[in-house]
Amino acid sequence: MELREIEEKLTAELNLDEVMVKSDGSHFQITAVGGCFEDLSRVKQQQLVLKPLSGYIADGSMHAVSVKAYTPKAWARDKKLQLLS
């Protein structure tokens, strides 16, 4: 499985504005940005991102997954804070 495949799957299924996937073997870090996260708790946001990947997780292709989910507004704010630090 390629990172691009994961990014495309998440973008298509969740209608994301941006998605970035990094991998260290079977450990993955996903940053997802989309309006679909509006008014959801952090847990619900993570569940939303993990659901389309359940097949990869079940077959062991993805062993550990870290998810950071942002609304477009929160992402813009976070990016500005990163520039200031």
Side-chain angles (χ1 to χ4, degrees):
M1 152 196 34
E2 294 184 25
L3 299 182
R4 177 53 92 207
E5 179 184 344
I6 296 167
E7 290 173 349
E8 289 173 359
K9 183 173 191 65
L10 290 173
T11 300
E13 292 197 28
L14 301 178
N15 195 26
L16 297 174
D17 297 340
E18 288 185 63
V19 64
M20 290 142 288
V21 180
K22 295 179 184 175
S23 170
D24 179 15
S26 63
H27 294 70
F28 292 82
Q29 299 87 39
I30 299 171
T31 302
V33 182
C36 58
F37 302 122
E38 205 68 59
D39 300 321
L40 294 180
S41 70
R42 243 176 218 219
V43 171
K44 292 291 185 191
Q45 290 173 352
Q46 290 181 355
Q47 289 172 340
L48 193 62
V49 172
L50 293 175
K51 187 175 180 182
L53 305 176
S54 61
Y56 300 128
I57 295 167
D59 73 10
S61 301
M62 298 179 90
H63 174 69
V65 184
S66 166
V67 176
K68 291 185 179 177
Y70 297 89
T71 62
K73 185 177 177 180
W75 178 243
R77 183 178 60 243
D78 193 63
K79 284 189 350 186
K80 285 180 187 173
L81 291 174
Q82 288 177 10
L83 292 174
L84 295 174
S85 56

